[in-house]
Every structure is written in C-alpha cells, then in structure tokens.
Amino acid sequence: MADFDITSGERDGMGPHGTKVGLLRVLGPAHVWALGVGIVLVGEYMGWNFAVGKGGAYAALIACWFAGILYTCVAMIDSEVTSTVAAAGGQYTQAKHIVGPLMAFNVGLYLVFAYTMLEAANAITAGYLISVVATMTGYTGELDQRPFIILVIMFLAWLNYRGVLATLTFNLVITAIAFAAIIMLFLSTSGILGGGIMQHAALFEGHELPYGWIGVLASMHFGLWYYLGIEGTTQAAEEVRSPARALPFGTLAGIMTLLIAATLTWYICSGVLPWEFLGDGVNGSVAPLFDTARLSGSNALIWFLGFGTLFATLASANGCINDASRAWFAMGRDKYLPAWFGAVHPKYRTPYRAIIFLVPIALIFALGAPLDQVITFSILSGLLEYTFMPLNIILFRKKWPMGSIKRGYEHPFHPLPAIVLLTLCGITFFAVFLGYGTQLVAMIGFYIVVSLWFHFRRYRYVDRGAQFTMPWPKPQGY
Amino acid sequence: MAHYVPPKQGKFSQLIDVVVLVALTVGALFVPLWLNLAGSSKSVATPVEAPTWEALGQNTVQAAQYEALGYTPETAHDLILSRFDYSFTAGALIVMIVVIVAYYWLMLKFSESEYREVISEKFGGK
Amino acid sequence: METWNYIEYAAWGLSALFGLFLVVDWLKIDSTYSEDVLTSSREGELEAMTEESHKG
C-alpha cells in the first residue's frame, strides 16, 4: 500500500474498498482553471450590466470590486477545505463532514440549482445570439430560437456523457478564446493599439450616481454575476490527478483571471455605452461587450466578440452540466437522493444517470422562464451557498484545529476572510431585497419545505456512520 | 450505540421521491411567476412630452452614442427615464431578516443533531 | 433566407440525434451491467489510501 501512487493510470479511480467503477482521475490544474473560469466568464459577456442598471456605472465598479473581495474570500476558504475534503460533490461533501447532513442536503441543492439555472440562462443567450447572427446575415424572418437552445443543451450533455477529459479540454480551448477576445477588445478600443474610443468622463457627466449611495448597495446584487460559479472548481475533486495541489492552484489562478477580466469589461463597456442602455440587459444591452464591439466600427472585432460571447455561453453551460451532475451524483451515492443516481458509466466513467436526468430539468427552465428570473434564481442559490461557507470554515477550524489533519492549503488571516465574507453576504441579501424581496422569501420558503421533507422522510435511507468517509480523527467537542 | 441500518429503497419509492423533488423545484420557479411576484419592474415616473436629447438629460457625447446605437429620442425615452423604486418599509426588511436568520438557525440546529448521531456511530460512542 | 430555415431543421435533427444517443447508450448500459457494479462507487476511497500510505 505504501508505494501506491494516486496519479498512476492503472488504478485510475478504482479503490480497494469495493468500488468497481469509479470516476476517472485524469485532470490537471489547467482543467480546473478552465472549469472555474469557463463557468464564470459568460458573466462578463452578459448579465453583470444589470448592476449598472441598479445603481449606475460607478456603482457597478464598486460592486465589481466588493464582489471581487467576496469571491477572493470564497476562493481562499474553498481552497483550504477542498484541498482536504477532495470528493465529487464539492461543498456538499464539505458540509456533510463539517456541519451536518441537513446542511449538506441544502448545499447540494444550492449547487444543482445555481448551475442548472445558469446553464438554462446560457442556452437562452446562445439562442438569442444565433438569432442576431441570422439578422446580421440578412435573414428577414423570425428565427425560431428553440431548436438552438435545445441543441446547446443536448450537445453539451452528450459531450459530458462521453467523458470528463474531452469535456474540460474543450472548455479550456473555448474559454481561452473568449478571454483573449476581451483582452483584444480592450487593447484596440482603449487607445493602446490605434485610436481609442473611450469617453468615460463625458458619458458619466450628470449620471455619476443616479440612485445615490443606496444604488451602490443595490448593485451588489448583480455584482456577484461577475464571478458567480468560480467555486465550482471543487466539483472536479474526484477527477483531478492531485487534488491537494491542483485545486487551490486552479481556483486561485481562476479568481485572479476573473478580477482582471471583470475590471477590463467594466472599463471597456462603461467608456462606450451610455449607462441607461448598458444597464438594461433586457431592452438595452443584452451582450455589452458585443455591443461595444459594434460601436468600434471594426468588423473583425464584431466577429471576434460575437464568437467570444457564443464560446463563453457554451463554456459556461458545459461547466454547469459537469458541476451540477457531480453534485447530484454525490448525493445519490450517499442516498440523500435515490441511490439510482449514484451510478458511474463503466466505459466513459461519468455520472451518466445524473447527466441525463438534469437535461429535461434544464430544458424546462430554458424554454419556460424569462432570463432575469432564471438569473435571479441562480444568484440566490449562489448567495445562500456563500453564506454557508464562513459558517463552514469556522466550524472546520474549530472541530479540526491546525495540525490535527493534513491540509493541502491553509488560507491566511483566519477568521478575517470568514467575517468579511459573512458581512458582504449580508449586504448582498439587502441588495437583493431592494427590488427582488418577494423572490428571496419565496426561495427560502422552498428550501425550508425541502429541508423538512429531507429531515422527516428522506434521511431514513441514509446510512449514518458510513457517510463520513474522510480518514480524520474524531472532531473536537464530540 | 446501535448501528442504524437504513431500509433498502425500492424502485417505485425512489421514483416517487424524484417526482416530489421535481415538482417542488418547478413549483419554486413558476409559482412566483404565476402570481406575478417575479422580477423587479422599472417604471417611468415623469414622462417627457416630445422628447429631445437635452430634455432627456443627455449631453452631446451621450446623445451621439445613442444615435450610433440606432436610437432616436422617442425610442430611447422609456429606456432612459425608467427607474427602480427602492423605497421599502421597515416591516418588510424585518420580515426578510427574520426569514433568513430563522432558516440558517433551523438548518444548523437540525444538522447538529443529525451530525452528533453520525459522529457517535462512526467513532463508536462517547 | 432559405438557408436559415435549413439550419433550423438541422438543429432540430442534431438535437434529436444527441438525445437518441444518450437514451440508447443509457438503456444499453443499464441492461448489460448489474446495478451493483454501476453503483459501486464510494466516496473518499483514494483519500483513505493515500492516508494509509502516509502512515506506512
């Protein structure tokens, strides 16, 4: 046993304790980065600009940076816990070992909903983009977007079904192209290459803070959208060759990439588009980077950013299918959900039943609900999850103090990041309350009902002791 | 402590659980939609008759960008003037805070009791 | 003009094809392998092993 190598190809996921078919360990740090950034980068191509609408351009920048702090805390905390609890299911498995079963069930649902909703939002955006392309190429009829929405979901589900390595390699390529498109647009519009078209001062004149300071608070709501999903890197834990190293590295590199991309995106778009247009993601600017490219007058930029937008939506939907199905699979494996979902494909080594099951769910949301509703549902599930994280890390450090178990990464300044994160989550709850309060309460109502269902019915099928799988000592205080 | 042996769940019972979960999920998304509670609506407080860029509060640069995007003062009127309404009552705020805090409290409390059971089974008694 | 109508049909067709592949493969796998093999994956096995090897 001593000379067993976790990275060796021959054992690839098959353990000695009874696993006959397990997930395949094939991913490296670059795939982790691609999974994290791939899911999120679409947030720079669409959606973040609702923050401009809720408070003006300056408010959106402040929200961008405060949300950046929030997510840096998320990434740090997550890296520490997940470098120790490396299993499919990510935060769900963390919650199971650290807080308790009911919390874990809720966290698992947050994950599945945040990702499935985001997947639906991406498919809707991809369908819209294709209709824009049709109009641009001279099509005068009304294009039916439904087959394209369905095709996006079906194709990516098929890709995910066929194996994780191809899925995330595909993500790596299209995410890199989408990121390069943002850099290219920045270089060619800001005056660094050729003439600049930025007019920040003139465009902001008279509209610095249209709602005053409360608008700054309110825009935190969609400020999350710049980074939402970066925490999904943890879902790959069971498929990464060396989780203790690759996960913290990929996650922290990912958040740095996103901080750059988010700030550049704000700078480019707010310097070209008037805030009222930019801030209305439904009637105004659906895809702000693409609209900026249109005003640049360069055909090459229009096509580059058009493909960037499409690739960003595909990369995001792709990562979402990957993450949501891992979380669903992990809950099935523990019988939090019917055990049927805990199956692994013997040839492709993917959680195939979870992938198939989530296809119709994504289709219902993509075809049946409006975009801002879907986005809000996704953000709310994410926000509930980020509120859980500080509780999680505080309990983690209390039950297993430093030195009692081996951690792959230890985040600095504890408990400061946890407190900052909790405070920022509180502010964001208030921001959501401004304008979307009823939905917030409806959502929490839903989670309360599901929790009662879990506690009083579903939990009877769960094996109590066996769900604690980490080789840790007994937690302190028990 | 006695080892808890969970019952084996049959196919049909598994199916029922899935149906319940899906129904709840779809309900959570669509019930607010049906009740017209979803989304935040912006509205125009004081419409401007016969709008010009100046009357809409746009300087020349801003007006030029709108024109480049294909707008006229008439078509941009609603887009430019509509605003969110951020007024709220203290009661509504308190309800929200209570709901959120109660939710996490419930969550931690139930989780804690379940967790103690898990730990005592896994690590064999006190 | 016409082209986009064909592209629409192509999208419907491809969606059906991917869907068909998923369902056919799923049913094939489910009938070929026993449920015990398919759902044999357990959480944390590799972690348990590395921990053992650290001790060893």
PDB file of all heavy atoms in Angstrom, chain A residues 227-239:
ATOM      1  N   TYR A 227     -18.548  36.996 -11.078  1.00  0.00           N
ATOM      2  CA  TYR A 227     -17.694  35.884 -10.629  1.00  0.00           C
ATOM      3  C   TYR A 227     -18.460  34.598 -10.310  1.00  0.00           C
ATOM      4  O   TYR A 227     -17.855  33.610  -9.936  1.00  0.00           O
ATOM      5  CB  TYR A 227     -16.929  36.268  -9.355  1.00  0.00           C
ATOM      6  CG  TYR A 227     -16.300  37.628  -9.379  1.00  0.00           C
ATOM      7  CD1 TYR A 227     -16.954  38.728  -8.836  1.00  0.00           C
ATOM      8  CD2 TYR A 227     -15.042  37.817  -9.941  1.00  0.00           C
ATOM      9  CE1 TYR A 227     -16.382  39.983  -8.860  1.00  0.00           C
ATOM     10  CE2 TYR A 227     -14.459  39.068  -9.965  1.00  0.00           C
ATOM     11  CZ  TYR A 227     -15.125  40.156  -9.419  1.00  0.00           C
ATOM     12  OH  TYR A 227     -14.554  41.396  -9.444  1.00  0.00           O
ATOM     13  N   LEU A 228     -19.793  34.633 -10.422  1.00  0.00           N
ATOM     14  CA  LEU A 228     -20.587  33.507  -9.925  1.00  0.00           C
ATOM     15  C   LEU A 228     -20.214  32.186 -10.598  1.00  0.00           C
ATOM     16  O   LEU A 228     -20.270  32.086 -11.813  1.00  0.00           O
ATOM     17  CB  LEU A 228     -22.092  33.775 -10.124  1.00  0.00           C
ATOM     18  CG  LEU A 228     -22.982  32.775  -9.410  1.00  0.00           C
ATOM     19  CD1 LEU A 228     -23.876  33.472  -8.404  1.00  0.00           C
ATOM     20  CD2 LEU A 228     -23.833  32.004 -10.373  1.00  0.00           C
ATOM     21  N   GLY A 229     -19.828  31.211  -9.808  1.00  0.00           N
ATOM     22  CA  GLY A 229     -19.516  29.890 -10.335  1.00  0.00           C
ATOM     23  C   GLY A 229     -18.070  29.477 -10.140  1.00  0.00           C
ATOM     24  O   GLY A 229     -17.727  28.321 -10.321  1.00  0.00           O
ATOM     25  N   ILE A 230     -17.206  30.408  -9.730  1.00  0.00           N
ATOM     26  CA  ILE A 230     -15.787  30.072  -9.571  1.00  0.00           C
ATOM     27  C   ILE A 230     -15.616  28.976  -8.519  1.00  0.00           C
ATOM     28  O   ILE A 230     -14.688  28.160  -8.591  1.00  0.00           O
ATOM     29  CB  ILE A 230     -14.951  31.325  -9.205  1.00  0.00           C
ATOM     30  CG1 ILE A 230     -13.458  30.990  -9.106  1.00  0.00           C
ATOM     31  CG2 ILE A 230     -15.408  31.967  -7.905  1.00  0.00           C
ATOM     32  CD1 ILE A 230     -12.817  30.620 -10.408  1.00  0.00           C
ATOM     33  N   GLU A 231     -16.557  28.933  -7.572  1.00  0.00           N
ATOM     34  CA  GLU A 231     -16.450  27.904  -6.526  1.00  0.00           C
ATOM     35  C   GLU A 231     -16.709  26.497  -7.077  1.00  0.00           C
ATOM     36  O   GLU A 231     -16.506  25.511  -6.383  1.00  0.00           O
ATOM     37  CB  GLU A 231     -17.414  28.230  -5.382  1.00  0.00           C
ATOM     38  CG  GLU A 231     -18.885  27.994  -5.667  1.00  0.00           C
ATOM     39  CD  GLU A 231     -19.518  29.081  -6.527  1.00  0.00           C
ATOM     40  OE1 GLU A 231     -18.809  30.040  -6.900  1.00  0.00           O
ATOM     41  OE2 GLU A 231     -20.714  28.963  -6.852  1.00  0.00           O
ATOM     42  N   GLY A 232     -17.138  26.410  -8.335  1.00  0.00           N
ATOM     43  CA  GLY A 232     -17.435  25.107  -8.926  1.00  0.00           C
ATOM     44  C   GLY A 232     -16.219  24.245  -9.194  1.00  0.00           C
ATOM     45  O   GLY A 232     -16.354  23.058  -9.489  1.00  0.00           O
ATOM     46  N   THR A 233     -15.033  24.826  -9.084  1.00  0.00           N
ATOM     47  CA  THR A 233     -13.816  24.050  -9.314  1.00  0.00           C
ATOM     48  C   THR A 233     -13.755  22.817  -8.409  1.00  0.00           C
ATOM     49  O   THR A 233     -13.187  21.807  -8.793  1.00  0.00           O
ATOM     50  CB  THR A 233     -12.573  24.898  -9.015  1.00  0.00           C
ATOM     51  OG1 THR A 233     -12.756  25.526  -7.753  1.00  0.00           O
ATOM     52  CG2 THR A 233     -12.382  25.954 -10.076  1.00  0.00           C
ATOM     53  N   THR A 234     -14.361  22.927  -7.225  1.00  0.00           N
ATOM     54  CA  THR A 234     -14.254  21.830  -6.264  1.00  0.00           C
ATOM     55  C   THR A 234     -14.964  20.568  -6.733  1.00  0.00           C
ATOM     56  O   THR A 234     -14.681  19.487  -6.240  1.00  0.00           O
ATOM     57  CB  THR A 234     -14.879  22.222  -4.923  1.00  0.00           C
ATOM     58  OG1 THR A 234     -16.227  22.592  -5.183  1.00  0.00           O
ATOM     59  CG2 THR A 234     -14.157  23.378  -4.299  1.00  0.00           C
ATOM     60  N   GLN A 235     -15.912  20.735  -7.667  1.00  0.00           N
ATOM     61  CA  GLN A 235     -16.655  19.556  -8.124  1.00  0.00           C
ATOM     62  C   GLN A 235     -15.747  18.565  -8.847  1.00  0.00           C
ATOM     63  O   GLN A 235     -16.088  17.395  -8.995  1.00  0.00           O
ATOM     64  CB  GLN A 235     -17.789  19.967  -9.057  1.00  0.00           C
ATOM     65  CG  GLN A 235     -18.831  20.858  -8.425  1.00  0.00           C
ATOM     66  CD  GLN A 235     -19.565  20.169  -7.314  1.00  0.00           C
ATOM     67  OE1 GLN A 235     -19.701  18.950  -7.310  1.00  0.00           O
ATOM     68  NE2 GLN A 235     -20.021  20.932  -6.349  1.00  0.00           N
ATOM     69  N   ALA A 236     -14.616  19.045  -9.342  1.00  0.00           N
ATOM     70  CA  ALA A 236     -13.731  18.169 -10.102  1.00  0.00           C
ATOM     71  C   ALA A 236     -12.823  17.347  -9.195  1.00  0.00           C
ATOM     72  O   ALA A 236     -12.016  16.557  -9.680  1.00  0.00           O
ATOM     73  CB  ALA A 236     -12.890  18.996 -11.064  1.00  0.00           C
ATOM     74  N   ALA A 237     -12.979  17.530  -7.872  1.00  0.00           N
ATOM     75  CA  ALA A 237     -12.007  16.957  -6.931  1.00  0.00           C
ATOM     76  C   ALA A 237     -11.720  15.481  -7.158  1.00  0.00           C
ATOM     77  O   ALA A 237     -10.582  15.041  -6.999  1.00  0.00           O
ATOM     78  CB  ALA A 237     -12.484  17.179  -5.502  1.00  0.00           C
ATOM     79  N   GLU A 238     -12.737  14.713  -7.514  1.00  0.00           N
ATOM     80  CA  GLU A 238     -12.527  13.275  -7.622  1.00  0.00           C
ATOM     81  C   GLU A 238     -11.925  12.879  -8.969  1.00  0.00           C
ATOM     82  O   GLU A 238     -11.649  11.713  -9.214  1.00  0.00           O
ATOM     83  CB  GLU A 238     -13.868  12.554  -7.417  1.00  0.00           C
ATOM     84  CG  GLU A 238     -13.781  11.399  -6.453  1.00  0.00           C
ATOM     85  CD  GLU A 238     -15.153  10.964  -5.997  1.00  0.00           C
ATOM     86  OE1 GLU A 238     -15.775  11.667  -5.161  1.00  0.00           O
ATOM     87  OE2 GLU A 238     -15.628   9.926  -6.464  1.00  0.00           O
ATOM     88  N   GLU A 239     -11.789  13.865  -9.861  1.00  0.00           N
ATOM     89  CA  GLU A 239     -11.285  13.555 -11.194  1.00  0.00           C
ATOM     90  C   GLU A 239      -9.948  14.224 -11.476  1.00  0.00           C
ATOM     91  O   GLU A 239      -9.425  14.136 -12.576  1.00  0.00           O
ATOM     92  CB  GLU A 239     -12.338  13.959 -12.235  1.00  0.00           C
ATOM     93  CG  GLU A 239     -13.520  13.028 -12.198  1.00  0.00           C
ATOM     94  CD  GLU A 239     -14.832  13.733 -12.518  1.00  0.00           C
ATOM     95  OE1 GLU A 239     -15.342  14.505 -11.689  1.00  0.00           O
ATOM     96  OE2 GLU A 239     -15.340  13.515 -13.617  1.00  0.00           O
TER      97      GLU A 239
END
